[in-house]
Amino acid sequence: MKGRSEYLFHDPIILQKRRQATIQEKRRRGVPQISVRTRPRNPTEGILEIEGKTFSCALGRTGTSAFKREGDGATPIGVMRPLLAYYRGDRKPAGMARTPLPRRAIGPGLGWCDDPRDANYNRPVRLPYPASHEAMLRKDRLYDACIVLDWNMRPRRLGRGSAIFLHLAAPGMKPTEGCIAVGPRTMARLLPLLERGTRIRVWR
């Protein structure tokens, strides 16, 4: 019995139970929803609101669009949900261990196809890959914490946009290629609140 008692109270099991309790408590009080609006007179920067708190975020280099197309540089207007969290294990992004989302470490073989003509359009692919793609292992820190959003997933429509993520922002809130980007401290605060039922609504 001594060995079993030690096993039951092993740190990973305690952490897992605490995490499950946290998730159950969040579900009882409702899943937080996120609202993103463009900042007045600056369409490439947004205001992200969750649970009454607001944070700055970067948007697409052409602002937002209700008619998102591949390569247009716009953040799509509409409702999106987070699916999973990619992260750089060697850089240990703050807050990642506390997210209820499924987590996947980014390795050198991970890519994301952005070629509308390819069968794996808007899907993760293994590198090297013959069609146009984005390498997820970056030299900068933008994908140290990267949340995959369900834009153009089900159904998937060719040319309606790919690789729409919630990721870390470049210095100075530089515009993205269509994603939503936030600072490291904001991401650390968002990660524990993100789960499959979270809705991220981007307004015009």
Side-chain angles (χ1 to χ4, degrees), residues 39-115:
R39 191 177 292 279
R41 297 182 295 278
N42 188 355
T44 65
E45 191 171 326
I47 300 172
L48 184 151
E49 182 177 358
I50 182 171
E51 294 188 328
K53 299 179 179 64
T54 59
F55 306 93
S56 293
C57 64
L59 300 175
R61 56 181 169 79
T62 60
T64 59
S65 174
F67 304 97
K68 172 68 183 173
R69 302 298 298 175
E70 184 66 42
D72 64 2
T75 299
I77 291 173
V79 178
M80 295 173 275
R81 294 175 176 81
L83 297 179
L84 62 90
Y86 282 120
Y87 67 97
R88 283 286 298 265
D90 57 333
R91 294 177 179 172
K92 299 179 181 179
M96 184 59 68
R98 298 173 57 203
T99 183
L101 291 171
R103 299 190 300 270
R104 301 286 186 275
I106 296 175
L110 180 64
W112 199 279
C113 181
D114 56 14
D115 186 346

Side-chain angles (χ1 to χ4, degrees), residues 72-162:
D72 64 2
T75 299
I77 291 173
V79 178
M80 295 173 275
R81 294 175 176 81
L83 297 179
L84 62 90
Y86 282 120
Y87 67 97
R88 283 286 298 265
D90 57 333
R91 294 177 179 172
K92 299 179 181 179
M96 184 59 68
R98 298 173 57 203
T99 183
L101 291 171
R103 299 190 300 270
R104 301 286 186 275
I106 296 175
L110 180 64
W112 199 279
C113 181
D114 56 14
D115 186 346
R117 301 164 297 179
D118 192 78
N120 287 316
Y121 175 59
N122 199 24
R123 296 284 187 272
V125 292
R126 184 177 295 277
L127 304 182
Y129 194 73
S132 177
H133 62 273
E134 178 179 4
M136 299 294 287
L137 191 68
R138 301 173 61 111
K139 292 182 179 180
D140 58 31
R141 293 184 171 271
L142 300 191
Y143 288 179
D144 283 13
C146 177
I147 311 303
V148 177
L149 305 180
D150 70 349
W151 175 259
N152 198 27
M153 292 284 189
R154 295 181 182 177
R156 178 180 50 162
R157 299 175 181 175
L158 299 184
R160 287 296 305 277
S162 63

